[in-house]
Amino acid sequence: QVQLVESGGGLVQPGGSLRLSCAASGFTFSWYTMNWYRQAPGKERELVAVITNIGGSTNYADSVKGRFTISRDNAKNTVALQMNSLKPEDTAVYYCNVVWGGLPYWGQGTQVTVSS
């Protein structure tokens, strides 16, 4: 059974940093591309960052390029999202995602609030 568990969210001031982590289980983690999404109140869920299985290539939404970094540890079955220079518009629930067996799987999400 695929399980994704996010952690690391919280309240941070503008310009601050947070590190999100996602612990994965129930599938061969190193074989799969992993994604971080976010959903702000009243908005659609959007793709924030992607890291591939082979080689760990990364891709980012334009809104977070240069501020966020996605990484993975295949030995620990974890994927992280380092978020720097946070802005109020980064406020959202952040979700870890994998497509396994042709279906998307999501964690429960972790709230990130950027406010002074």
Side-chain angles (χ1 to χ4, degrees):
Q1 181 179 0
V2 174
Q3 285 195 325
L4 302 170
V5 180
E6 302 97 336
S7 61
L11 173 64
V12 63
Q13 291 187 343
S17 298
L18 280 175
R19 184 176 179 87
L20 307 183
S21 185
C22 172
S25 61
F27 62 102
T28 306
F29 180 80
S30 61
W31 291 4
Y32 291 86
T33 292
M34 298 298 298
N35 310 298
W36 281 99
Y37 283 75
R38 68 185 181 186
Q39 187 166 20
K43 295 189 176 181
E44 292 188 357
R45 194 169 295 190
E46 65 169 339
L47 180 62
V48 173
V50 178
I51 186 163
T52 63
N53 53 342
I54 304 297
S57 296
T58 59
N59 201 6
Y60 299 92
D62 287 344
S63 58
V64 307
K65 276 182 183 175
R67 300 188 298 121
F68 289 13
T69 303
I70 188 172
S71 61
R72 66 189 298 157
D73 186 334
N74 288 337
K76 296 182 179 179
N77 289 3
T78 59
V79 58
L81 186 68
Q82 178 66 42
M83 306 186 295
N84 299 329
S85 302
L86 283 162
K87 304 176 181 180
E89 51 263 44
D90 294 318
T91 295
V93 179
Y94 284 71
Y95 297 91
C96 183
N97 164 269
V98 66
V99 177
W100 183 86
L103 295 175
Y105 287 83
W106 304 91
Q108 82 286 355
T110 186
Q111 176 71 46
V112 172
T113 302
V114 185
S115 175
S116 55

